[in-house]
Amino acid sequence: MYPHLKLHEGDQEVGAVQDWTTFAMAYLRPGYERAEELLVDLAQTLKPD
């Protein structure tokens, strides 16, 4: 799975997530101002129960 992450305003793509069984990789657009916040949210969302 390789979903693309877009902003609601302007439909700008800011990143993508490649989710594998044992790990996930996030790719973020250079210069995206809220990248750190997005990575924290992704890590919490993808964390196994």
Side-chain angles (χ1 to χ4, degrees), residues 10-23:
D11 204 35
Q12 178 188 12
E13 185 175 329
V14 294
V17 175
Q18 193 171 28
D19 188 9
W20 297 94
T21 304
T22 57
F23 68 96

Side-chain angles (χ1 to χ4, degrees), residues 15-36:
V17 175
Q18 193 171 28
D19 188 9
W20 297 94
T21 304
T22 57
F23 68 96
M25 296 181 352
Y27 303 93
L28 299 179
R29 179 175 298 280
Y32 177 53
E33 295 176 3
R34 297 178 62 191
E36 185 175 345

Side-chain angles (χ1 to χ4, degrees), residues 23-48:
F23 68 96
M25 296 181 352
Y27 303 93
L28 299 179
R29 179 175 298 280
Y32 177 53
E33 295 176 3
R34 297 178 62 191
E36 185 175 345
E37 179 183 346
L38 178 57
L39 285 175
V40 169
D41 288 346
L42 284 171
Q44 289 175 349
T45 300
L46 296 173
K47 183 178 177 181

